[in-house]
Structure formats: C-alpha cells, structure tokens
Amino acid sequence: MKFSVMADQFDVVVIGGGPGGYNCAIRAGQLGLKAACIDQRSTFGGTCLNVGCIPSKTLLHASELYEDTKTKFPKMGIVTQGVAVDLAAMMAHKNKVVGELTKGVEFLFKKNKVEGIVGAATISAPGKVSVATKEGLRELSAKHIVIATGSDVAPLPGITIDEKTIVSSTGALALSEVPGRLLVVGAGVIGLEMGSVWRRLGSEVKVVEFLDRIVPGVDAEVAKHFQRLLERQGMSFTLSSKVVGVEKKGGELIVAIEPASGGKPQFVNADVMLVATGRRPYTDGLGLDQADVTRDKQGRIVTDGDFRTSVDTIWAIGDVREGAMLAHKAEDEAVAVAEIIAGRAGHVNYDAIASVIYTYPEVATVGKTEEEVKKAGIAYRVGKFPFAANARAKSNLTTEGFVKIIADAKTDRVLGVHMIGPDVGNMIGEASLALEFSAASEDIARTSHAHPTLAEAIRQAAMGVTGWTMQM
Ligand code: FAD
Ligand code: NAI
C-alpha cells in the first residue's frame, strides 16, 4: 500500500482504523489538520468493515433471499425448482464486498490527505506514538492522540474459542460448511443475527440465554413479539440458563447448560457453538499505563463529555469508551472529537442514536423504551400500528410486526420509536430525525408519507398517539 504523504509530525494521530478512527481522521483532514490513522490490520475499516457489520449484513441479505425462494416466492407465482446454496460462492461474495469497502477507506484517506499507517501502535508518552510496521519501528509525534481501538470478543470462562467448532462472530462469519446443529450462547444481537443466517442456510439453531428474555435493552413488548416470530421460524430458546462447559467428543460438542441460578446441568449435542455473550474494550499493548490514561472497572477508557481522557491531549471514542457498541455511535463521536480538536463545537445527541437488529423481521429502536419512560415517572401515550394493515407490507408478503411510538402525554414530544417489521432498519432514520428535532407525534402524523410505502405505518402509529389512526 502506498500513501503519498509521508511525515512524522502530525496534528492528530488516530489509533484504530474502524468507524471511529477512520471517520475521525477523515473529518480532521477536511478541517485542515494533518492527520494519520494507524491500524494493525492490513485493511482499514476496523471490526465493522472486516469482521462485523458488513460481512454479517451481506450474509444476512443473501440468506434471506434464499429463504424467500422457499417461503415467499411460491406464493407469488415464482417457480423456484433447483434453487440451492453454494456456500463457497456466498462467502466469496461477502469477501468481495468487504474488500471493496475496505479499499474505499484508503481512497477516502488519500482524498482527505490522511496518512494511513499499517502497524501496531503504542503510546510511548503523551504526544508520542511508536508504530511497529512491517518495515520497522516508526516514531510519530502528535499534538493530539485519538484512541479508537474498539472492542474484542468477551471470553466465556472455561471455554476456549478455536474459531472452527467453538466460534466467536468472526468464525461464524467464515464457516466452510453449514453446521447441522448450531448452539448459540447469548440471545443478543450477534447471536440472533448469526443464528438467523445459519438457520436459513439449513442449521438447527438452539439459543441459550442467561436472562429470562431475549435482546436485553430492547422494549419488552417488541422483544416478546420478536422471540415468538423467531420461534415460528424454527429457532429455539432456553432462557434463564448458562453454558458452563463444553467437551469435544467423537467429532461433536457436548455442551453443559445449567439454570442461571445454579443447579443440575443438562447436556446438549452440537456441531458448532457460537459464543455471543458480549464484547469488551480493546486496549492491549497500547501503553495506557505509561501514558497515565485512566480506565474504569470494565476496562473502558474514561473520558469527559468532550471525549478527553485523563491526559489533556489524548482523546477516546467508539467501543473503547462507554456507551452502545455501534458503528454509527463511534462515527458520531469521531466527527465531534475532530471538530473539538479543530477548535469547533462538537456534540453527540445519544438520545437520537438508533439501534437495529438485521434479522427478519428487523428490529429498530430509538429513544426511550416504555419501561424506561415508566421508571422515569413520565406520563406518556402510545400509538401503535401493525404491518398487517399496511398495503405495501401486504403486497410484499411481509406483514409481521408493528410500529410503536411513545410520546409525552403533556407535550406530545416523541420519546421513543420501537419497530419490528420489514426493512424497519432503513425506516428508523425518520424516527432519529424526529427525536433530533424534538418533534411531536403530531408532526409525524401530519407529514406526508408516500403511498404505498412501509413508512406509512410510522405515520399511522403517530396518529394513534392521539387516537386518530385512520387505516385500521
Ligand atoms: P473497531 O471497529 O473495533 O476498530 C478498532 C480498530 O483498532 C481495529 O481494526 C483494531 O485492529 C485496531 N487497533 C486496536 N488496537 C490497536 C493498536 N494498538 N494499534 C493499531 N491498531 C489497533 N454495529 C452497527 O452499528 N451495526 C451493525 O450492523 C453491526 N454489526 C456488527 C456485527 C458483528 C459481528 C460485530 C462483531 C459488531 C457489529 N457492530 C455493528 C458493532 C461495530 O462493529 C462496532 O461498534 C464498531 O466497529 C466500533 O468502531 P470502533 O472504531 O470503535 O472500533
Ligand atoms: P449483546 O450484549 O448484544 O448480547 C449478549 C447476550 O448474551 C445478552 O443477552 C446476555 O444476557 C447474554 N449472556 C451473557 N453472558 C451469558 C452467559 N454466560 N450465558 C448465556 N447468555 C449470556 O452482545 P453481542 O451479541 O455479543 O454483541 C456485542 C456488541 O456488538 C453489542 O453491544 C452490539 O451493540 C454490537 N453489535 C451490533 C449489531 C447491530 O447493530 N446490528 C450487530 C452485532 C453486534
């Protein structure tokens, strides 16, 4: 890889080339700062582009189309004899998409005069970064250092991930065969997305979850409905349970599962086990102690509201600090910190950051859940609309799910939007915008929505907040 600008003195050195790091370096470059972005991976884009958002969404889309050929196509009069999966070709397609997008980051670096450096970075002192590159050690000096080193798989005590039969999300994105039986540990986002991919491709999928519900943090009514729909698709759930051990025997895994509160284990046989019990901040080898950068008990880098760490010229953004581990949260923080470093006002509105689970149906939420609003003692009203009553969903045979809007009973301000249904991930932007602009539910209800679109369900739900839903 060749970069045109070579220099050892920078205004900003960003460590980590994920959505936090690369966006920070690009925005810094746009603002006229001399920036470098370092990543130890040979391709930029971090977890998200290399082993996260992009490969998982590529496999989710491909496997959903395959499932549609069996479930929806025959009902639509499309004859699908002979449809089959060529897994190697599907993986090659995924790798091609990842390759093109990671190359795209290099292009954006060049365009914005950012120097991309491949190598492992260590902060030797405030203002000093050493990078172990293929060509040898390179010393950089920087007025500002931004740490964007992201996160890594949280280990499960007593379980060794080999990325072949006991896999993390990384292994689950690259299996060379469809496992007959897949046991997923953790009914969070990774477990349900990757579980969906392999179930659609032919695996029997069992999910073990520690809590008494799936997707903690998602509005409880939505989560309950979601579990029912996933069960109808063939996924099975063992809730309030934990995996306490696994043994490899005769080419299969024997997994010991105990009730969450302790007790006698039961044993389940599986071909592959996916560990998806969360991620932890990644700061290995960064030299934080020698640079005096403080971390909290969970290993996250502590920052103030402006993303400044315990050292004045060292900043941290993305998965490595507190908050949701989401690519677009890292991106928002990246823009804000670059603007603050450049002497502008940078700000992130965490209330408007949406969260999406890209299964079928999708789950997309932004703002407060009904449980949170209740707990805060806010008087509220709810408007709901099912996709079964939406014309476009009916024509597309995608009638599962609903839209739920929560608004303040006194002011009508929208507090939360929770959706489960077709393509709601692409529709949640409207709800984020409503929260960003402090919209009332009436603003959404009186905004024109093109017909026939799935988004009309949002308008009808908004009407429902004050009791005038028209199409149900
Ligand atoms: P990362 O993307 O983790 O990037 C950090 C980079 O820093 C890494 O490339 C690492 O190699 C590098 N690095 C670390 N230490 C050093 C060092 N000392 N020197 C040099 N380089 C270093 N989020 C979404 O919003 N939507 C999704 O659909 C989604 N899907 C996901 C699917 C999966 C399977 C996974 C695992 C995650 C997914 N996420 C998704 C989460 C998303 O990937 C992260 O929130 C996001 O990547 C965080 O960005 P980041 O820049 O903070 O860190
Ligand atoms: P998660 O936090 O979403 O879910 C982990 C689940 O595992 C929880 O339900 C938890 O209760 C359960 N659990 C924990 N320990 C357990 C145990 N011992 N036994 C059984 N269950 C246990 O974490 P996940 O799915 O690993 O994802 C990590 C992060 O990556 C998430 O924070 C998410 O934000 C991000 N991500 C985002 C995606 C998206 O935006 N679509 C997709 C994939 C990941």
Side-chain angles (χ1 to χ4, degrees):
M1 189 189 328
K2 280 197 184 120
F3 290 94
S4 49
V5 193
M6 291 295 284
D8 293 327
Q9 302 244 324
F10 295 92
D11 294 316
V12 188
V13 166
V14 185
I15 306 177
Y22 76 73
N23 282 299
C24 177
I26 289 169
R27 185 72 187 121
Q30 283 181 340
L31 293 168
L33 299 171
K34 191 167 180 183
C37 183
I38 308 163
D39 204 298
Q40 59 199 8
R41 278 195 168 90
S42 57
T43 50
F44 285 92
T47 303
C48 178
L49 267 61
N50 288 286
V51 289
C53 326
I54 300 304
S56 58
K57 265 78 263 180
T58 309
L59 292 183
L60 276 157
H61 183 69
S63 60
E64 188 179 332
L65 289 181
Y66 172 60
E67 180 149 276
D68 282 352
T69 65
K70 292 189 283 180
T71 55
K72 298 200 175 84
F73 282 24
K75 291 183 189 155
M76 292 176 172
I78 304 169
V79 180
T80 55
Q81 272 146 1
V83 174
V85 171
D86 177 344
L87 188 60
M90 197 181 280
M91 290 293 172
H93 160 63
K94 174 207 71 175
N95 294 340
K96 183 167 182 280
V97 171
V98 168
E100 285 171 4
L101 286 169
T102 55
K103 277 265 168 268
V105 175
E106 287 179 27
F107 163 78
L108 293 172
F109 280 175
K110 279 188 195 142
K111 186 176 167 210
N112 292 287
K113 300 193 172 48
V114 171
E115 184 178 350
I117 303 171
V118 173
T122 304
I123 303 173
S124 31
K128 302 274 174 222
V129 177
S130 307
V131 193
T133 71
K134 259 204 306 207
E135 294 76 33
L137 204 63
R138 206 170 144 194
E139 304 290 346
L140 313 179
S141 66
K143 290 187 192 143
H144 299 273
I145 297 170
V146 178
I147 302 171
T149 49
S151 61
D152 200 0
V153 180
L156 195 56
I159 310 282
T160 308
I161 290 174
D162 60 19
E163 298 297 14
K164 289 195 167 65
T165 54
I166 303 177
V167 298
S168 71
S169 51
T170 302
L173 286 165
L175 295 175
S176 54
E177 278 176 36
V178 178
R181 297 156 302 175
L182 174 68
L183 186 104
V184 175
V185 195
V189 196
I190 292 181
L192 300 184
E193 287 189 352
M194 292 316 300
S196 288
V197 166
W198 291 109
R199 187 201 54 73
R200 291 166 186 166
L201 298 181
S203 301
E204 181 198 338
V205 177
K206 291 192 169 142
V207 184
V208 178
E209 165 59 45
F210 186 78
L211 300 175
D212 61 359
R213 54 161 291 173
I214 68 166
V215 284
V218 170
D219 186 272
E221 185 183 8
V222 171
K224 227 179 209 170
H225 194 77
F226 187 32
Q227 185 180 335
R228 263 204 305 273
L229 293 176
L230 291 173
E231 281 168 343
R232 211 179 290 162
Q233 292 167 9
M235 220 182 251
S236 72
F237 292 90
T238 307
L239 301 181
S240 305
S241 300
K242 60 186 177 196
V243 167
V244 289
V246 57
E247 201 189 328
K248 290 184 188 176
K249 213 171 178 184
E252 62 175 1
L253 302 174
I254 301 170
V255 184
I257 301 167
E258 262 183 19
S261 51
K264 243 177 114 189
Q266 51 153 322
F267 297 91
V268 170
N269 296 15
D271 300 298
V272 172
M273 181 169 96
L274 163 61
V275 178
T277 51
R279 293 177 64 82
R280 62 172 183 192
Y282 182 79
T283 54
D284 293 0
L286 248 187
L288 293 184
D289 293 333
Q290 70 207 28
D292 262 342
V293 174
T294 309
R295 273 167 287 180
D296 66 15
K297 281 196 190 123
Q298 286 135 281
R300 302 176 300 190
I301 296 181
V302 177
T303 67
D304 65 12
D306 281 345
F307 314 102
R308 198 187 294 263
T309 68
S310 48
V311 179
D312 249 12
T313 55
I314 303 182
W315 314 72
I317 55 171
D319 281 11
V320 79
R321 68 178 291 278
E322 68 174 303
M325 288 185 170
L326 294 173
H328 44 288
K329 176 260 194 187
E331 178 183 352
D332 280 4
E333 292 182 348
V335 171
V337 83
E339 294 185 343
I340 291 167
I341 289 172
R344 300 188 177 199
H347 172 72
V348 176
N349 178 3
Y350 291 97
D351 284 342
I353 294 183
S355 184
V356 179
I357 308 174
Y358 296 86
T359 44
Y360 180 81
E362 289 183 343
V363 173
T365 70
V366 65
K368 292 192 170 24
T369 62
E370 191 165 354
E371 294 74 52
E372 285 168 339
V373 174
K374 252 189 209 149
K375 201 168 160 207
I378 301 168
Y380 66 95
R381 280 195 291 235
V382 172
K384 266 200 276 185
F385 192 78
F387 282 102
N390 172 275
R392 189 63 183 276
K394 260 208 165 321
S395 8
N396 293 357
L397 297 181
T398 54
T399 50
E400 296 91 345
F402 57 87
V403 178
K404 171 175 176 179
I405 298 186
I406 303 170
D408 189 298
K410 280 198 207 107
T411 62
D412 193 34
R413 184 173 169 172
V414 177
L415 301 173
V417 177
H418 308 278
M419 304 195 271
I420 175 165
D423 214 21
V424 292
N426 278 320
M427 283 152 57
I428 196 73
E430 170 179 353
S432 287
L433 197 67
L435 282 152
E436 187 69 44
F437 279 66
S438 307
S441 78
E442 189 177 353
D443 292 324
I444 302 177
R446 294 197 184 275
T447 298
S448 171
H449 286 66
H451 178 76
T453 59
L454 297 169
E456 286 175 281
I458 299 182
R459 183 183 198 185
Q460 293 293 323
M463 289 171 168
V465 171
T466 46
W468 62 289
T469 295
M470 293 169 66
Q471 289 168 8
M472 198 179 59

